[in-house]
Amino acid sequence: MKLPLLDTESSRGFILRRTATTMASTEIARQAGEGARAVPLAGHVGFDSMPDQLVNKSVNHGFCFNILCVGETGLGKSTLMDTLFNTKFEGEPTQHNQPGVTLKSNTYELQESNVRLKLTVVNTVGFGDQINKEDSYKSIVEFIDAQFEAYLQEELKIKRTLHSYHDTRIHACLYFIAPTGHSLKSLDLVTMKKLDSKVNIIPIIAKSDAISKSELAKFKIKITSELVSNGVQIYQFPTDDESVAEINSTMNSHLPFAVVGSTEEVKIGNKMVKARQYPWGTVQVENENHCDFVKLREMLIRVNMEDLREQTHTRHYELYRRCKLEEMGFKDTDPDSKPFSLQETYEAKRNEFMGELQKKEEEMRQMFVQRVKEKEAELKEAEKELHEKFDRLKKLHQDEKKKLEDKRKSLDDELNMFKQKKTAAELLQNQAQQAGGSTTLKRDKERKN
Amino acid sequence: MIERPEAAVPSIAQRNLEGYVGFANLPNQVYRKSVKRGFEFTLMVVGESGLGKSTLINSLFLTDLYSKDYPGPSQRIKKTVQVEQSKVLIKEGGVQLTLTIVDTPGFGDAVDNSNCWQPVINYIDSKCEDFLNAESRVNRRSMPDNRVHCCLYFIAPSGHGLKPLDIEFMKRLHDKVNVIPLIAKADTLTPEECQLFKKQIMKEIQEHKIKIYEFPDTEDDEDNKLIRKIKEKMPLAVVGSNVVIEVNGKKVRGRQYPWGVAEVENGEHCDFTVLRNMLIRTHMQDLKDVTNNVHYENYRSKKLAAVTCNGVDTTKTKGQLTKSPLAQMEEERGDHVTKMKKMEAEMEQVFEMKVKEKKQKLKDSEAELERRHEMMKRNLEAQYKELEEKRRVYEDEKANWEAQQRILEQQKLDASKTMEKNKKKGKIF
């Protein structure tokens, strides 16, 4: 794109270029109220090229858009994507026997005139196929949160490259409703309720060529009222910008869009158009009487793509970020309602963190000291017991020894006594013998005499 | 924390469109939204008093930023360097711009100008800090961007070269803000003098490795040619004027001299139009982008690194800069857990060993005592046996002797009995 050169338009005042609108009066009041005083210009300065400069930069940088398609297997999600973007995306039709819900995403580089778009299409595989569908929404919510988390992590890094970061956050979620003609399934309500605070939901009635026009009107009313009564917040096309307010509000009343997708072409008149051929007629995809496909394309791509991206960033992502930071213990103000500076917050966290680590270390040390003490006491007890045991044994031994001594002593005494007795007796004997001898001698003598 | 999932598909396929899709309208959508939001720009002017800073601002934006009701800083005499900001709201072609002009009266006016750049640096850093805090809040509403997007540095038209103050200032600020040096009051230099002056200045800038704002190359060759032409004219020599004079029937801004009129917007007289085109009409957005993506990110990473590394040598922590401070704390926590586990294992080991030692000692002393006790017991038993033996011997002996005695007694008795008998028989006399 060429740089805007010296402008020859010199009139002062307000020249409308392209679809530039005058600012809403509230906007002006807000700016002026911020301390900026309005001053008139004496000529053409040239900063009205700012939007062009910005646009140039965006075009050079390329755009990025991520769509999530949620719906049961067989509702024509892939076909609709192909039809919307007029190209053949990857993918084989999936079977109904998936054990759980998985999300598959593919990224494509598209270019239309000079605009490059990095489009990521995420498909839910196996949604609604299980017998127990209670956890169906979980993988979807996890996936969306994971994209937010990745962005948040990048944003929190010390050295970050947000400018060249490939944004994978989901900007729009097309929710495919089965064309039963009656009402929303409970799975639909549950899933949409879980997703409405995380992503822009655009509900669409899939394969709507199965419903007649009168049934369709009733179906749409039923769906809208069910969504409202269950408090499901679907994406509303913005009506605050004057240039698109009218078309957006009309379209809002046509929600949910009833679409038909087809990549096959049929000759109608002298043109080849995308259509589905039945024995009773041909459903033309781009015929506004036949289905709302054109409306969807207008709203999703041509008019509100940028708004979808902005909403994702300023509303859904901010909500996620706020919850996550609060979970991590961040606050904006301290108990005295003074605002924290980032440095203070991080320093406080770091101190807390270090304190925690030190406490853990201390605790472990203390535990060991305790154990050592206990074990020491135990061992001392054992030692004491051992000594006591051997003291007892020693005492026993002493007693035995004493008994032995006593016995020995008594034996010795007996022996002595015996000896004495013996010697006494022998002495007596000897005396007796002597006396007897002498008596015998006497007798003998007497005899002799 | 959840790891980056594989949603970022490694291979990006190219696809061709077979018909109208409509996203070529995206630029228009962006245009619409940006106009609705409005724009903001902060311009800082730095230079000694009397170099025509305020006049240049008025000329650039074709308005009386400083008027009788809002006198500019030049009207007031300052003793120290101040940093003053004025905010104005200007509208053109449906586009609204909130312009903040930051002036630095007193810069370079004192006799001792050491550190006169400090208030300027403090101001720039404080705006970055405000933005950092606003960006890091839990509840983020609006994030007003008051960061300084561009700094016009006014060089006095001496004709010789840069002054030491000029070099010092630009060296200190070139990695904090986009610096665009200008030759002020260029109508005091003839074209040849101006050329020489410019060459000299650029030479000195390169010598001192000062990084002034560089124009990015575009993909368009035509634009690149224009950009190269502008680059050759750097630094731009400007003239400003608040007065409109009539020249050849046209009303132009200029300065009236006895010898003619120096027209502000005449490309042959000065580079004012180049400056205006570059600053406002073509590169305003780029200045903001460079401020946001380069200077602010520099400030932010330095600030956060200081918080997490706590003054640790930065060469060691280069790898940590790819994480957020929190992720780093998590990693440190992980490291600490491993360290603790190891410590625990070690302490456990030592503990076990000591216990084993003690137990062994206890066992040994128990065994020793057992042994001794056994020995003593056996000793005692031996003694007992000995005693028993002795007793037995004694008993035997006693029994024998008693038996003998009994026999002797019996004999004696018998003898006495016989004697009695004999006596009775009269055999005894």
Side-chain angles (χ1 to χ4, degrees):
Chain A
M1 260 189 145
K2 288 216 176 246
L3 295 172
L5 300 172
L6 236 189
D7 219 314
T8 48
E9 294 172 302
S10 60
S11 51
R12 37 188 312 187
F14 307 86
I15 304 168
L16 288 172
R17 287 173 61 162
R18 293 207 205 182
T19 53
T21 55
T22 54
M23 293 283 289
S25 47
T26 44
E27 209 60 38
I28 298 171
R30 177 181 73 82
Q31 296 263 21
E34 275 172 8
R37 61 180 208 276
V39 289
L41 299 175
H44 180 75
V45 177
F47 61 83
D48 53 350
S49 66
M50 275 293 269
D52 287 312
Q53 294 179 37
L54 185 62
V55 166
N56 280 352
K57 277 216 169 265
S58 314
V59 170
N60 284 335
H61 191 246
F63 296 91
C64 148
F65 195 69
N66 309 319
I67 301 185
L68 169 68
C69 294
V70 180
E72 294 174 19
T73 315
L75 279 182
K77 303 190 287 289
S78 315
T79 317
L80 186 69
M81 284 294 112
D82 289 350
T83 324
L84 257 180
F85 289 97
N86 257 315
T87 184
K88 184 84 187 75
F89 291 129
E90 250 142 52
E92 294 291 319
T94 44
Q95 304 298 314
H96 285 270
N97 55 1
Q98 306 291 321
V101 182
T102 51
L103 287 99
K104 248 180 12 159
S105 81
N106 290 306
T107 309
Y108 306 94
E109 287 255 9
L110 307 172
Q111 179 152 4
E112 194 176 31
S113 81
N114 65 333
V115 178
R116 284 174 295 122
L117 178 70
K118 209 178 264 187
L119 178 74
T120 304
V121 180
V122 186
N123 242 313
T124 50
V125 178
F127 187 77
D129 278 337
Q130 299 78 32
I131 296 176
N132 181 357
K133 296 178 245 195
E134 265 181 0
D135 295 338
S136 294
Y137 69 87
K138 283 208 184 125
S139 9
I140 304 178
V141 169
E142 269 170 22
F143 181 84
I144 296 176
D145 278 347
Q147 310 316 308
F148 283 148
E149 184 65 32
Y151 190 86
L152 182 64
Q153 283 310 308
E154 183 65 33
E155 215 187 16
L156 289 179
K157 273 191 197 170
I158 297 179
K159 248 193 161 57
R160 58 189 189 178
T161 48
L162 275 180
H163 183 64
S164 50
Y165 177 76
H166 177 214
D167 190 2
T168 52
R169 299 174 292 182
I170 302 295
H171 301 124
C173 170
L174 293 179
Y175 195 92
F176 288 69
I177 300 169
T180 58
H182 297 304
S183 61
L184 285 173
K185 299 193 187 164
S186 48
L187 173 66
D188 295 337
L189 278 171
V190 165
T191 312
M192 280 202 269
K193 193 88 184 90
K194 291 280 178 200
L195 294 178
D196 70 353
S197 60
K198 291 196 174 288
V199 74
N200 300 316
I201 300 184
I202 302 176
I204 55 180
I205 301 171
K207 295 196 168 173
S208 62
D209 51 350
I211 315 178
S212 74
K213 231 187 164 98
S214 51
E215 283 173 357
L216 188 63
K218 274 193 269 180
F219 192 29
K220 282 193 182 183
I221 293 173
K222 192 78 202 323
I223 291 176
T224 327
S225 70
E226 279 197 331
L227 289 175
V228 165
S229 62
N230 280 286
V232 176
Q233 301 227 335
I234 58 172
Y235 176 73
Q236 296 291 317
F237 303 118
T239 48
D240 48 0
D241 190 345
E242 278 172 18
S243 53
V244 294
E246 209 185 295
I247 186 171
N248 275 347
S249 57
T250 334
M251 292 300 180
N252 273 329
S253 60
H254 285 278
L255 282 173
F257 292 134
V259 294
V260 175
S262 172
T263 45
E264 280 156 15
E265 298 200 333
V266 172
K267 198 170 177 112
I268 303 280
N270 54 355
K271 274 202 304 177
M272 295 294 284
V273 294
K274 291 197 278 268
R276 285 174 64 76
Q277 187 134 60
Y278 291 103
W280 49 88
T282 314
V283 181
Q284 294 159 39
V285 168
E286 285 175 335
N287 187 329
E288 298 216 37
N289 284 327
H290 292 193
C291 71
D292 295 331
F293 175 82
V294 174
K295 294 196 182 72
L296 175 68
R297 187 176 60 194
E298 279 290 297
M299 288 294 101
L300 181 66
I301 301 177
R302 212 184 73 82
V303 179
N304 295 305
M305 203 179 227
E306 185 60 26
D307 185 69
L308 283 161
R309 290 180 38 182
E310 206 177 281
Q311 290 287 322
T312 307
H313 181 69
T314 56
R315 206 148 63 92
H316 301 295
Y317 171 70
E318 284 299 313
L319 181 64
Y320 175 84
R321 179 180 173 276
R322 188 160 55 235
C323 292
K324 205 64 203 290
L325 289 184
E326 276 173 6
E327 224 176 275
M328 294 201 278
F330 280 92
K331 282 191 290 280
D332 272 340
T333 56
D334 67 8
D336 300 322
S337 289
K338 268 193 311 136
F340 276 140
S341 82
L342 181 70
Q343 187 149 9
E344 281 174 19
T345 312
Y346 273 133
E347 268 174 13
K349 276 228 154 263
R350 192 171 180 75
N351 288 339
E352 196 188 305
F353 173 68
M354 294 309 253
E356 214 183 289
L357 293 185
Q358 271 182 341
K359 200 172 93 170
K360 279 216 175 96
E361 238 173 85
E362 256 318 294
E363 268 176 23
M364 195 177 81
R365 276 214 192 87
Q366 283 305 322
M367 191 192 68
F368 262 104
V369 166
Q370 189 66 21
R371 273 177 75 184
V372 165
K373 257 204 202 126
E374 278 174 15
K375 216 33 189 256
E376 251 180 24
E378 228 179 86
L379 288 175
K380 254 206 174 79
E381 253 324 294
E383 205 176 338
K384 199 164 102 184
E385 266 181 36
L386 188 70
H387 281 293
E388 273 177 12
K389 176 165 153 209
F390 281 105
D391 279 345
R392 266 181 287 131
L393 282 177
K394 199 161 153 192
K395 185 143 180 299
L396 261 165
H397 174 79
Q398 301 278 56
D399 287 346
E400 289 290 309
K401 201 164 172 190
K402 183 137 184 302
K403 266 205 273 185
L404 181 73
E405 282 303 310
D406 286 346
K407 259 196 167 159
R408 184 173 293 175
K409 185 146 179 288
S410 72
L411 181 66
D412 280 344
D413 283 346
E414 268 188 53
L415 252 165
N416 281 345
M417 243 174 48
F418 174 65
K419 265 208 179 90
Q420 276 182 352
K421 211 162 135 191
K422 202 165 145 189
T423 30
E426 275 180 6
L427 201 71
L428 259 167
Q429 263 185 5
N430 284 349
Q431 276 184 344
Q433 260 189 350
Q434 272 189 346
S438 67
T439 22
T440 354
L441 260 172
K442 233 177 183 179
R443 253 191 295 140
D444 279 340
K445 244 179 189 170
E446 281 178 7
R447 261 198 191 158
K448 265 179 193 164
N449 298 335
Chain B
M1 288 192 191
I2 307 174
E3 277 177 311
R4 180 96 75 109
E6 286 164 340
V9 177
S11 64
I12 298 179
Q14 200 83 24
R15 282 288 187 275
N16 288 322
L17 304 180
E18 290 154 24
Y20 172 72
V21 177
F23 62 80
N25 203 32
L26 262 174
N28 281 340
Q29 298 180 30
V30 172
Y31 187 96
R32 233 189 323 117
K33 279 195 176 286
S34 67
V35 168
K36 185 153 170 291
R37 249 195 320 262
F39 296 88
E40 358 177 55
F41 193 74
T42 304
L43 181 66
M44 178 184 261
V45 284
V46 183
E48 295 168 12
S49 309
L51 282 181
K53 303 190 290 290
S54 317
T55 318
L56 186 72
I57 298 294
N58 283 349
S59 308
L60 265 177
F61 292 98
L62 293 176
T63 181
D64 287 326
L65 212 73
Y66 301 120
S67 59
K68 267 189 287 219
D69 301 325
Y70 299 89
S74 51
Q75 308 296 321
R76 294 163 272 167
I77 302 167
K78 295 284 183 293
K79 291 231 178 71
T80 55
V81 180
Q82 309 282 321
V83 178
E84 291 186 354
Q85 68 173 45
S86 335
K87 245 194 189 152
V88 289
L89 184 63
I90 43 182
K91 282 203 293 261
E92 190 178 64
V95 176
Q96 184 156 313
L97 176 67
T98 305
L99 180 69
T100 310
I101 303 292
V102 183
D103 210 327
T104 53
F107 181 85
D109 286 343
V111 177
D112 180 3
N113 285 315
S114 326
N115 292 327
C116 67
W117 47 80
Q118 200 56 47
V120 176
I121 294 182
N122 291 345
Y123 179 86
I124 296 174
D125 279 347
S126 80
K127 293 298 164 195
C128 278
E129 172 153 0
D130 287 345
F131 192 81
L132 178 62
N133 283 339
E135 191 193 34
S136 314
R137 284 172 68 83
V138 175
N139 282 307
R140 303 196 288 204
R141 287 296 148 71
S142 60
M143 286 194 289
D145 187 4
N146 289 320
R147 299 171 292 187
V148 179
H149 300 121
C150 178
C151 175
L152 297 177
Y153 187 76
F154 286 68
I155 301 168
S158 65
H160 295 167
L162 289 173
K163 293 207 258 239
L165 176 61
D166 299 335
I167 295 170
E168 195 59 38
F169 178 86
M170 285 200 276
K171 263 167 73 168
R172 280 172 190 275
L173 260 81
H174 67 169
D175 51 11
K176 288 191 177 291
V177 72
N178 297 317
V179 175
I180 299 180
L182 303 172
I183 299 174
K185 295 200 165 171
D187 51 346
T188 58
L189 297 167
T190 66
E192 297 79 24
E193 284 172 350
C194 199
Q195 276 292 88
L196 281 167
F197 192 31
K198 285 185 183 182
K199 273 214 181 67
Q200 180 64 21
I201 292 176
M202 285 315 278
K203 195 168 98 172
E204 289 184 27
I205 282 177
Q206 267 166 18
E207 258 171 32
H208 292 271
K209 297 201 180 35
I210 295 172
K211 292 181 277 202
I212 57 174
Y213 172 71
E214 275 195 21
F215 297 90
D217 286 325
T218 59
E219 289 168 358
D220 196 333
D221 287 328
E222 289 267 337
D223 294 341
N224 278 340
K225 270 198 243 161
L226 282 164
I227 284 173
R228 239 169 289 142
K229 274 216 270 191
I230 295 173
K231 279 192 180 170
E232 285 167 23
K233 290 200 178 154
M234 295 286 278
L236 301 172
V238 291
V239 176
S241 171
N242 286 326
V243 178
V244 180
I245 303 166
E246 188 148 340
V247 172
N248 295 339
K250 270 203 309 179
K251 281 203 191 299
V252 291
R253 276 184 181 246
R255 291 176 60 74
Q256 177 115 63
Y257 291 106
W259 48 88
V261 175
E263 290 166 47
V264 167
E265 290 182 14
N266 190 328
E268 290 172 22
H269 293 193
C270 71
D271 300 324
F272 174 83
T273 36
V274 178
L275 175 67
R276 184 181 58 193
N277 286 348
M278 180 271 284
L279 182 64
I280 301 175
R281 296 186 187 181
T282 59
H283 286 84
M284 201 179 234
Q285 185 59 40
D286 186 62
L287 285 162
K288 288 175 69 173
D289 285 343
V290 172
T291 308
N292 185 45
N293 297 339
V294 178
H295 298 300
Y296 171 71
E297 287 298 321
N298 262 344
Y299 172 83
R300 181 178 176 277
S301 53
K302 271 201 214 118
K303 202 83 196 286
L304 291 182
V307 168
T308 45
C309 304
N310 282 340
V312 176
D313 182 19
T314 43
T315 48
K316 276 193 279 180
T317 56
K318 262 214 172 75
Q320 292 176 332
L321 292 180
T322 51
K323 298 184 211 70
S324 73
L326 295 171
Q328 208 173 305
M329 283 204 280
E330 277 304 306
E331 206 184 85
E332 281 181 22
R333 189 196 296 271
D335 285 345
H336 188 260
V337 167
T338 347
K339 184 174 113 184
M340 288 251 296
K341 275 211 170 83
K342 207 168 102 181
M343 209 165 80
E344 190 176 352
E346 272 176 22
M347 279 168 96
E348 190 78 45
Q349 222 182 25
V350 167
F351 179 75
E352 286 298 316
M353 202 175 71
K354 286 237 161 74
V355 165
K356 215 164 94 178
E357 249 180 52
K358 204 83 195 269
K359 275 206 170 123
Q360 190 63 32
K361 235 165 79 181
L362 215 67
K363 241 200 185 123
D364 286 345
S365 70
E366 189 176 357
E368 178 67 27
L369 284 170
E370 282 272 354
R371 200 177 55 81
R372 261 199 276 155
H373 172 75
E374 272 302 302
M375 219 170 68
M376 285 204 293
K377 208 160 100 176
R378 255 178 276 148
N379 194 353
L380 218 63
E381 274 177 9
Q383 286 190 345
Y384 253 113
K385 265 215 173 94
E386 208 187 300
L387 196 69
E388 285 300 310
E389 189 65 33
K390 206 168 165 192
R391 178 172 280 271
R392 214 173 36 82
V393 166
Y394 156 74
E395 293 285 323
D396 277 348
E397 203 185 318
K398 186 163 161 201
N400 278 347
W401 185 77
E402 280 188 348
Q404 258 187 357
Q405 290 299 97
R406 263 199 304 274
I407 293 176
L408 272 170
E409 282 294 318
Q410 194 64 34
Q411 279 184 344
K412 226 164 76 183
L413 247 151
D414 284 340
S416 71
K417 257 197 195 141
T418 353
M419 259 180 82
E420 281 293 318
K421 249 199 233 164
N422 288 346
K423 223 181 189 174
K424 273 189 185 156
K425 283 182 180 171
K427 275 195 183 163
I428 299 173
F429 47 88

